[in-house]
Amino acid sequence: EVRLVESGGGLVQPGRSLRLSCVASGFNFDDFVMHWVRQVPGKGLEWLSVIRGDSGFTGYSDSVKGRFTVSRDNAENSLFLQMNSLRVEDSAIYYCVKDGQSGWYLDSWGQGTLVTVSS
Amino acid sequence: QSALTQPRSVSGSPGQSVTISCAGSSRDIGGFNFISWYQQHPDKTPKIIIFDVSRRPSGVPDRFSGSKSGNTASLTISGLKVEDEADYFCTAYAGNFNLVFGGGTKVTVL
């Protein structure tokens, strides 16, 4: 069974940094593309970033490009999101998501970690 | 990266069919067949119900079907059930290693 467990969320002041982690189990982690998606509670979903299994490519939404960096450690079955220069509008639940076998769909989701950016 | 356009809400009675549209452009929906749909019940994580335009993961009822015409994708729920009441989101690959979401549609079962 696929399991994705995020951690690292919390309350942070605007302009500061936070690093999210996601530990994966139940599948061959290094074989799969992984994504980060966020959602303001009660609102829609926003795709943030993607990283290939071998870290050979990464992609970002315009809203986080230049501020957020995705990375992974396949030896630890872990995915990371380094978030710098945080803004109030970055407050949301952040989900770690596994890509599907044929690519570019989100087939398994973690439970999410809540990030609140506030002074 | 413009968000895809979905109706805010649709509704139907049990047993009826409802269709949710997801409008994009030639850069996303029209350009690739990586279109997927997700169901999200209140306070739950999203669940994939359609991928690659019209394929269903195992365990998803065949009441759910997907299609695409030009720059618009659609999700049809046939034989609507009370448990189908949820939010539904579409996504599409938009090139350059980017995904884009629709704004979401609330399905209400009357």
Side-chain angles (χ1 to χ4, degrees):
Chain A
E1 178 195 1
V2 172
R3 191 158 185 250
L4 300 165
V5 180
E6 303 93 337
S7 61
L11 175 64
V12 62
Q13 292 179 325
R16 304 297 291 265
S17 299
L18 208 59
R19 189 190 196 213
L20 304 183
S21 301
C22 170
V23 177
S25 60
F27 64 101
N28 292 328
F29 182 68
D30 42 359
D31 284 343
F32 286 90
V33 169
M34 296 294 295
H35 302 260
W36 287 99
V37 174
R38 70 185 178 188
Q39 184 175 35
V40 174
K43 303 296 185 182
L45 296 164
E46 182 185 9
W47 176 83
L48 299 178
S49 70
V50 62
I51 185 167
R52 199 170 69 181
D54 62 0
S55 302
F57 76 69
T58 58
Y60 300 91
S61 69
D62 287 345
S63 63
V64 304
K65 194 177 298 181
R67 298 189 300 126
F68 290 11
T69 303
V70 62
S71 61
R72 62 193 295 162
D73 181 342
N74 288 345
E76 297 294 328
N77 285 354
S78 294
L79 177 72
F80 306 101
L81 187 67
Q82 177 67 41
M83 305 187 295
N84 298 332
S85 303
L86 282 162
R87 305 167 180 167
V88 171
E89 54 266 35
D90 292 321
S91 297
I93 299 170
Y94 284 71
Y95 294 105
C96 164
V97 191
K98 171 184 167 290
D99 197 78
Q101 188 70 45
S102 63
W104 296 109
Y105 65 94
L106 310 168
D107 80 343
S108 299
W109 297 64
Q111 289 301 305
T113 186
L114 179 64
V115 172
T116 303
V117 184
S118 175
S119 54
Chain B
Q1 298 164 343
S2 300
L4 306 174
T5 301
Q6 297 181 233
R8 296 279 305 255
S9 64
V10 299
S11 62
S13 300
Q16 289 186 330
S17 292
V18 294
T19 295
I20 303 168
S21 61
C22 173
S25 71
S26 59
R27 296 183 300 276
D28 37 65
I29 290 178
F32 309 92
N33 285 327
F34 295 120
I35 295 159
S36 51
W37 291 88
Y38 304 83
Q39 177 191 62
Q40 186 177 32
H41 288 106
D43 298 321
K44 299 292 186 183
T45 60
K47 170 192 170 185
I48 178 124
I49 54 173
I50 294 288
F51 66 99
D52 291 354
V53 178
S54 58
R55 298 174 66 185
R56 279 185 311 277
S58 61
V60 174
D62 59 6
R63 303 184 291 103
F64 294 91
S65 62
S67 63
K68 181 183 99 166
S69 178
N71 297 334
T72 300
S74 299
L75 173 72
T76 298
I77 310 173
S78 306
L80 201 60
K81 295 189 174 185
V82 171
E83 59 260 38
D84 297 334
E85 184 161 296
D87 292 325
Y88 292 82
F89 297 89
C90 60
T91 70
Y93 178 63
N96 294 319
F97 310 130
N98 272 262
L99 272 180
V100 62
F101 271 99
T105 299
K106 181 175 178 59
V107 171
T108 301
V109 181
L110 301 171

